[in-house]
Amino acid sequence: MIELNHTDMARPDDRKQKVDTWAKLFKATTWEEIKMITKDNPSMNSTAESIYLSNSDFAIREQCRVREDNIAHEKYQKECIENLTKEVTHLRELLKKHGIEEE
């Protein structure tokens, strides 16, 4: 087993079996880095594409969640504005009823 943070300490046998390269693949942080690591290995390239698709699906799900949150927040704000508008109208009626003028 190799620790992802210590790929430089991979044993010769690990390097022969490309365990260090697989570890680098899973440790990669950019799509360009992943493409560079997998360019000469069809098996790794297939894995990289799966990772990309999996992350793309996550990104889409995350965008949908953010959109739903925004819609809920907008609905909440609209309700608050309506309630405050009703309250202002009610207070203006009370002021008028008691003969108090607004400034």
Side-chain angles (χ1 to χ4, degrees), residues 10-40:
R11 297 173 297 179
D13 194 40
D14 293 331
R15 293 184 193 282
K16 183 179 177 186
Q17 294 180 20
K18 304 284 186 195
V19 173
D20 59 322
T21 307
W22 280 100
K24 288 177 186 174
L25 173 65
F26 291 111
K27 187 180 171 187
T29 57
T30 65
W31 181 239
E32 290 76 20
E33 187 179 357
I34 290 172
K35 285 171 47 178
M36 190 175 80
I37 293 168
T38 63
K39 68 180 176 185
D40 296 325

Side-chain angles (χ1 to χ4, degrees), residues 48-63:
E49 288 176 13
S50 294
I51 290 170
Y52 178 77
L53 289 174
S54 180
N55 285 334
S56 293
D57 290 345
F58 173 78
I60 290 169
R61 286 192 308 269
E62 185 64 13
Q63 285 178 346

Side-chain angles (χ1 to χ4, degrees), residues 15 38 42 45 48 53-54 58 65 70 77 79 89 91:
R15 293 184 193 282
T38 63
N45 193 34
L53 289 174
S54 180
F58 173 78
R65 187 195 62 75
N70 288 339
Q77 284 183 322
E79 289 171 359
T89 301
L91 291 173

